[in-house]
Amino acid sequence: MTLKVLEHEQGDWAVLQVCGEMDLMTSPAVRQHVHHAVAEGRRSLVLDLGEVRFCDSSGVGVLIAARRLMRSCRGRLRIVLPAQDAPEGSHVNRVLAALGVRRLFDVYPDLPSATAEATDPLSA
């Protein structure tokens, strides 16, 4: 399976909807899209990972690098991940939790809650 990244805006948020597998070969594309959004001046970014079926350590590395980049430019990063028990999209949630880095991210169950200003993230 390949990776597809769809870009759109929702309110003040730049949204990158990632579909497919985030591995050594495909993760650089996600990194490139994040850097492109920041270069365009976007400081509020949502990574919608609900359609990611596989994520290895290189994919996790891209997520951590995106967090670091957004913090360095005083931006905001939110991640959409379905709940742990959801049949689809829970792989990334399990990987982040197993590596002990899930708590580093503001995670939301869906795009509307991730782009709402008054919504609190899910607990780790």
Side-chain angles (χ1 to χ4, degrees):
M1 181 178 256
T2 59
L3 181 85
K4 181 169 52 170
V5 181
L6 305 173
E7 297 182 37
H8 68 279
E9 294 182 16
Q10 189 159 332
D12 293 335
W13 293 88
V15 178
L16 300 179
Q17 182 182 10
V18 184
C19 307
E21 298 179 355
M22 288 179 59
D23 58 24
L24 184 62
M25 298 301 291
T26 60
S27 292
V30 177
R31 182 186 314 265
Q32 182 179 8
H33 281 275
V34 170
H35 282 265
H36 183 259
V38 171
E40 287 186 334
R42 302 310 303 249
R43 297 299 181 262
S44 298
L45 180 65
V46 173
L47 290 176
D48 184 347
L49 306 179
E51 297 295 321
V52 173
R53 302 293 176 246
F54 175 80
C55 181
D56 68 8
S57 60
S58 60
V60 173
V62 167
L63 298 178
I64 292 171
R67 178 183 181 268
R68 187 179 313 121
L69 175 62
M70 295 309 293
R71 290 175 62 99
S72 72
C73 66
R74 291 184 168 66
R76 301 181 292 174
L77 174 66
R78 294 180 176 179
I79 295 179
V80 174
L81 289 174
Q84 292 267 8
D85 57 351
E88 300 296 329
S90 61
H91 174 78
V92 178
N93 225 342
R94 288 191 308 268
V95 169
L96 294 178
L99 294 173
V101 297
R102 165 73 169 65
R103 61 181 169 70
L104 297 177
F105 300 99
D106 290 337
V107 175
Y108 294 81
D110 53 41
L111 189 57
S113 61
T115 56
E117 292 301 322
T119 308
D120 291 326
L122 299 172
S123 60

